[in-house]
């Protein structure tokens, strides 16, 4: 390795500066697929270990392939012609539905092993991340006539302790704080009662302020975030209001591919017309202000939210975009200053400077960026749930690139000059931290991107109120994958060091006793056995190091019976397919037949095989 050349610098050149933003829905659905796939794999491993179902290897592989094949030039970069995205968006949604079905099936299998005999309504909360967390879960819709009519809602965790909760009767939405360990399914008890909770409110909201235990947030008359004060560390995060701004987008040469350097030097316009600020949520678990503004023909709706115990300020955005030759950015003028900032690259991070000179005027970013003061005293992290481009115009400002609609189109059928017109959904978050950046930044970004998910279940006895499959002793070490081995039956666990220094004695602990642990490379080829002790093993990691382990576990003492099903004979009375390229032979949809070559003989969904008709 010493003989290999090294490179320390940006990989994004001007020709790709716009492609990390173009076609925002593409970027959003790609991110959601990657994370939902990961969640489904982890839950499927848990269900298979319990004996509830076989690991759905073929189904997950097909779903992965359905969206991964769009990760190429020009599709995921957003530089294909407009008609290509008819196919792309369709595949993204198909893959999301498949992952969601397998996730639901797997959590259902795990739920069978849990003790769900609670006083109220049993809800299983699934935490897919590698972190123990304490954040809000959304249950929608929750409709139980005669139960939800009670005036108060109270939620109790597996430990029996109560958590902040609120119920919106208009939208039938329950929100509550859930404390769960890493990679865990846990049972919560939702009770609608005549008696209010005795918990003291941890969040509060006024006409222009939000506050929880950690932050006090102020919104100004323009609808911008004027102040984020870290009460715990007595520090202000902002040097000036943070908000949405629009700059020119005069790209004509390769419009979707490129942002124009001189455009970034122009003074942007803040979004601040027709400002309306209203209280959106006011409960013990969540408080929020909704800010609505307009600019030109576009409408901007932002919900600024704080949660009980929350360590970040979330800004949920709904933008109805109709601006020509314009790009939208979220600007964060920070109270800390540094010529360099760190940008998340997925498996590592890059420290890079200001984008105030040609040719590097966009940074690639995945889930977070961080600007820490030169003296290391305090820092601010900016997170997002589906964006990939940022710039840093000076020592104390970060800007997240949100929408890129160029002046021109590459070809008459490209549609690039009206790309991203219409509805755009995204969320970004702001978090302060005392001292240098730690694994807390990656943790909060993961929690933003992979929310805890709630599932209704029936009441039944079980082994315990929760099942934690695997946990890591150091939050800086992230579990990147828990899945079945591609070439065998072992469980693959991939772990990455998320910070720029070595980690020593990182301990991985599992739900059962280990019978073998082998380190592999990324292809899952064996490298060497790893020593283990009972249900755990301990390893070290280099700077941003990634290590993969193939493990085997003893079967649990309490297994779960797999799903039972029986065949139902159905009459097939309409011809809808043709195997001989005879599209006019169908008996539905104006007589057009579906090519039979597109159909499998058997489709397995939620662990049940469905045999197709002739």
């Amino acid at each position: 390795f010493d003989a290999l050349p090294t490179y320390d610098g940006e990989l994004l050149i001007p020709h790709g500066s716009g492609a990390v933003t173009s076609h925002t829905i593409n970027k959003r659905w790609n991110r959601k697929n990657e994370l939902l796939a990961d969640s489904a794999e982890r839950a499927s491993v848990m269900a298979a270990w319990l004996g509830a179902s076989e690991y759905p290897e073929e189904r997950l592989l097909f779903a992965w392939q359905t969206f991964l094949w769009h990760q190429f030039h020009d599709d995921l970069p957003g530089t294909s012609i407009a008609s290509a995205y008819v196919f792309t968006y369709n595949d993204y949604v198909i893959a999301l539905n498949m992952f969601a079905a397998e996730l639901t099936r797997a959590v259902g299998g795990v739920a069978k092993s849990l003790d769900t005999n609670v006083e109220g309504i049993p809800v299983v909360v699934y935490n897919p991340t590698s972190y123990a967390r304490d954040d809000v879960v959304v249950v929608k819709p929750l409709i139980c006539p005669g139960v939800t009519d009670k005036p108060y809602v109270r939620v109790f965790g597996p430990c029996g302790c109560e958590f902040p909760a609120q119920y919106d009767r208009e939208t039938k939405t329950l929100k509550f704080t859930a404390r769960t360990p890493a990679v865990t399914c846990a049972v919560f008890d939702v009770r609608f009662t005549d008696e209010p909770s005795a918990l003291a409110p941890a969040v509060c909201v006024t006409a222009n302020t939000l506050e929880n235990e950690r932050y006090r947030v102020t919104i100004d008359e323009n609808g911008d975030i004027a102040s984020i004060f870290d009460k715990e560390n007595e520090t202000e995060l902002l040097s000036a209001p943070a908000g949405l701004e629009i700059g020119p987008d005069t790209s004509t040469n390769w419009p979707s591919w490129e942002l124009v350097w001189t455009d970034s030097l122009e003074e942007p316009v803040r979004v601040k017309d027709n400002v309306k600020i209203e209280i959106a949520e006011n409960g013990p678990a969540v408080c929020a202000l909704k800010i609505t503004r307009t600019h030109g023909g576009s409408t901007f709706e932002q919900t600024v939210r704080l949660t009980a115990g929350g360590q970040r300020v979330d800004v949920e955005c709904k933008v109805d975009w109709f601006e020509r030759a314009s790009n939208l950015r979220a600007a964060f003028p920070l109270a800390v200053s540094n010529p360099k900032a760190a940008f998340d690259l997925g498996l590592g991070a890059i420290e890079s400077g200001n984008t105030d000179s040609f040719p590097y005027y966009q940074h690639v970013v995945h889930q977070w960026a961080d600007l820490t003061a030169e003296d290391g005293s305090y820092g601010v992290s900016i997170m997002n749930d589906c964006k990939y481009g940022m710039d840093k115009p000076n020592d104390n400002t970060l800007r997240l690139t949100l929408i890129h609609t160029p002046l021109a189109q590459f070809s008459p059928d490209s549609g690039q000059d009206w790309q991203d017109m219409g509805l755009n959904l995204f969320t970004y978050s702001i978090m302060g931290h005392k001292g240098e950046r730690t694994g807390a930044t990656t943790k909060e970004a993961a929690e933003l991107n992979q929310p805890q998910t709630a599932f209704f279940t029936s009441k039944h006895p079980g082994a315990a109120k929760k099942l934690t499959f695997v946990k890591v002793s150091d939050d800086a070490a992230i579990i990147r994958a828990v899945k079945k081995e591609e070439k065998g039956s072992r469980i693959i666990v991939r772990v990455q060091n998320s910070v720029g220094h070595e980690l020593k004695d990182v301990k991985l602990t599992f739900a059962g006793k280990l019978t073998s642990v082998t380190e592999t490379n990324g292809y899952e080829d064996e490298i060497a056995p790893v020593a283990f002790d009972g249900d755990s093993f301990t390893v070290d990691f280099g700077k941003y190091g990634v290590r993969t382990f193939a493990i085997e576990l003893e079967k649990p003492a309490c297994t779960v019976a797999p799903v039972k099903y029986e065949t139902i004979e159905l009459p097939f009375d309409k011809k809808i397919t043709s195997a001989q390229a005879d599209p006019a032979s169908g008996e539905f949809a104006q007589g057009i037949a579906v090519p039979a070559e597109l159909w499998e003989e058997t489709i397995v969904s939620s662990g049940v095989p469905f045999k197709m008709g002739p």
Side-chain angles (χ1 to χ4, degrees):
F1 289 106
D2 292 338
L4 293 175
T6 60
Y7 173 75
D8 184 6
E10 294 286 349
L11 295 177
L12 185 64
I13 59 175
H15 184 60
S17 60
V20 292
T21 302
S22 293
H23 275 276
T24 61
I25 193 172
N26 230 32
K27 308 298 195 286
R28 178 179 176 85
W29 277 347
N30 180 78
R31 173 88 61 91
K32 301 307 180 187
N33 263 297
E34 290 175 338
L35 297 172
L36 191 56
D38 176 42
S39 294
E41 287 179 339
R42 297 180 189 211
S44 296
V45 165
M46 295 170 70
W49 178 65
L50 290 167
S53 62
E54 292 186 6
Y55 186 85
E57 188 171 8
E58 290 186 10
R59 183 118 173 126
L60 290 175
L61 177 62
F62 183 80
W64 270 109
Q65 291 172 336
T66 299
F67 86 90
L68 277 181
W69 79 292
H70 295 289
Q71 290 192 1
F72 78 97
H73 190 316
D74 293 78
D75 211 341
L76 181 57
T79 53
S80 290
I81 61 173
S83 57
Y85 292 103
V86 175
F87 300 92
T88 304
Y89 299 163
N90 187 61
D91 280 352
Y92 278 140
V93 174
I94 288 172
L96 284 168
N97 285 336
M98 293 175 72
F99 288 131
E102 293 308 321
L103 171 61
T104 303
R105 175 200 59 78
V107 173
V110 176
K112 290 181 183 179
S113 74
L114 300 176
D115 177 7
T116 61
N117 275 329
V118 299
E119 181 180 320
I121 303 167
V123 172
V124 174
V125 174
Y126 171 51
N127 171 17
T129 71
S130 55
Y131 305 105
R133 60 200 289 184
D134 193 346
D135 60 357
V136 168
V137 174
V138 179
V139 186
K140 181 181 181 180
L142 177 52
I143 306 171
C144 298
V147 176
T148 53
D149 294 341
K150 298 281 187 178
Y152 302 106
V153 64
R154 302 177 69 179
V155 175
F156 297 83
C159 58
C161 50
E162 187 172 1
F163 291 92
Q166 62 201 59
Y167 182 66
D168 186 323
R169 298 185 183 280
E170 183 177 341
T171 62
K172 312 300 182 188
T173 301
L174 170 69
K175 294 185 178 182
F176 64 90
T177 301
R179 184 178 302 138
T180 56
V183 195
T184 290
C185 287
V187 178
F188 284 76
D189 179 3
V190 178
R191 305 176 192 173
F192 286 86
T193 72
D194 294 315
E195 295 294 327
S197 170
L199 295 175
V203 295
C204 62
V205 59
T206 70
N208 69 331
T209 65
L210 302 157
E211 192 165 355
N212 68 356
E213 304 96 322
R214 177 75 190 277
Y215 300 108
R216 183 166 57 249
V217 179
T218 304
I219 308 298
D220 67 17
E221 67 276 6
N222 293 324
D224 290 338
I225 300 176
S227 169
I228 302 174
F229 185 73
D230 181 345
K231 300 190 298 181
E232 184 179 296
N233 297 298
E234 298 184 338
T235 302
E236 171 62 46
L237 274 63
L238 302 176
S239 62
L244 298 175
E245 59 184 40
I246 298 175
D249 197 328
T250 60
S251 186
T252 58
N253 188 28
W254 300 82
S256 282
W257 287 261
E258 296 177 358
L259 294 171
V260 177
W261 159 241
T262 52
D263 286 346
S264 67
L265 304 178
E266 297 291 329
E267 187 68 24
V269 177
R270 277 292 172 112
V271 176
K272 59 180 181 179
D273 295 340
N274 303 310
V275 180
K276 181 182 178 182
I277 304 172
E278 56 189 315
I279 295 174
E281 296 179 274
N282 185 10
V286 182
C287 69
L289 288 171
K290 183 169 76 172
I291 301 104
T292 306
R293 291 171 286 186
T294 64
H295 179 91
S298 302
T299 303
F300 304 81
E301 181 184 296
Q302 293 185 292
T303 302
V304 182
R305 183 177 289 114
L306 288 178
T307 62
Q311 299 300 301
R312 64 180 192 268
V313 180
D314 290 341
V315 184
E316 182 182 330
C317 303
K318 181 179 179 181
V319 177
D320 210 11
W321 176 255
F322 292 99
E323 304 307 301
R324 291 262 183 192
S326 302
N327 68 67
L328 179 69
R329 299 183 294 249
F332 308 95
L334 304 177
V336 293
S337 180
N338 194 322
K340 286 197 170 186
F343 299 89
D344 172 33
L345 298 180
L347 289 178
I350 183 172
E351 293 214 349
S352 198
N354 296 340
T355 51
D356 57 357
S357 61
F358 189 86
Y360 300 112
Y361 45 94
Q362 276 275 294
H363 293 297
V364 174
V365 62
H366 281 235
Q367 295 187 8
W368 58 264
D370 181 83
L371 183 63
T372 297
E374 285 190 86
D375 63 3
S377 58
Y378 196 86
V380 180
S381 299
I382 307 298
M383 305 152 195
N384 76 86
D385 75 337
C386 59
K387 299 299 175 184
Y388 294 93
M390 292 190 84
D391 70 331
K392 184 177 181 294
N394 54 51
D395 287 356
N396 74 307
T397 304
L398 291 174
R399 297 193 298 195
L400 184 63
T401 312
L402 302 172
I403 301 175
H404 159 46
T405 303
L407 171 66
Q409 53 185 352
F410 178 64
S411 63
D413 57 353
S414 71
Q416 291 171 356
D417 58 334
W418 50 266
Q419 68 183 23
D420 297 320
M421 295 286 184
L423 183 62
N424 287 263
L425 302 173
F426 51 89
T427 299
Y428 56 78
S429 302
I430 309 155
M431 182 192 81
H433 59 85
K434 186 176 182 178
E436 298 284 358
R437 175 178 60 86
T438 66
T441 292
T442 312
K443 174 181 183 293
E444 290 296 326
E447 292 179 10
L448 169 66
N449 278 270
Q450 286 184 292
Q452 301 193 84
T453 314
F455 298 84
F456 294 112
T457 188
S458 58
K459 294 184 181 183
H460 54 71
K465 294 288 187 185
K466 64 183 178 183
L467 173 63
T468 300
F469 187 75
V470 57
K471 59 184 179 181
V472 187
S473 61
D474 192 327
D475 275 353
I478 311 169
I479 300 173
R480 288 296 188 185
V482 179
K483 56 184 278 292
K484 180 180 171 292
E485 186 179 21
E486 296 295 323
K487 296 172 283 189
S489 59
R490 294 175 296 183
I491 298 167
I492 293 295
V493 180
R494 183 168 294 112
V495 186
Q496 181 227 341
N497 175 5
S498 67
V499 293
H501 58 77
E502 293 183 349
L503 295 178
K504 297 291 186 182
D505 300 324
V506 177
K507 186 176 183 179
L508 279 74
T509 304
F510 293 84
K513 286 188 176 180
L514 293 159
T515 58
S516 75
V517 180
T518 304
E519 184 165 10
T520 76
N521 59 20
Y523 289 101
E524 300 175 12
D525 298 323
E526 292 189 1
I527 296 174
V530 176
F532 59 91
D533 182 11
D535 61 355
S536 64
F537 64 91
T538 302
V539 289
D540 300 333
F541 290 87
K543 175 182 177 180
Y544 296 123
V546 182
R547 298 184 70 175
T548 303
F549 307 95
I551 69 160
E552 293 179 290
L553 294 174
E554 287 186 1
K555 283 295 181 184
C558 178
T559 57
V560 177
V563 172
K564 292 182 179 180
Y565 57 86
E566 61 183 46
T567 301
I568 299 174
E569 294 297 331
L570 297 175
F572 294 97
D573 56 1
K574 279 193 181 297
K575 180 177 174 57
I576 66 169
T577 66
S578 166
Q580 301 298 325
D582 185 9
S585 66
E587 296 175 357
F588 87 124
Q590 291 79 48
I592 300 173
V594 176
E597 292 82 0
L598 294 176
W599 295 67
E600 300 285 348
E601 290 186 5
T602 301
I603 294 174
V604 179
S605 179
S606 299
V608 179
F610 294 85
K611 186 175 181 181
M612 305 304 290

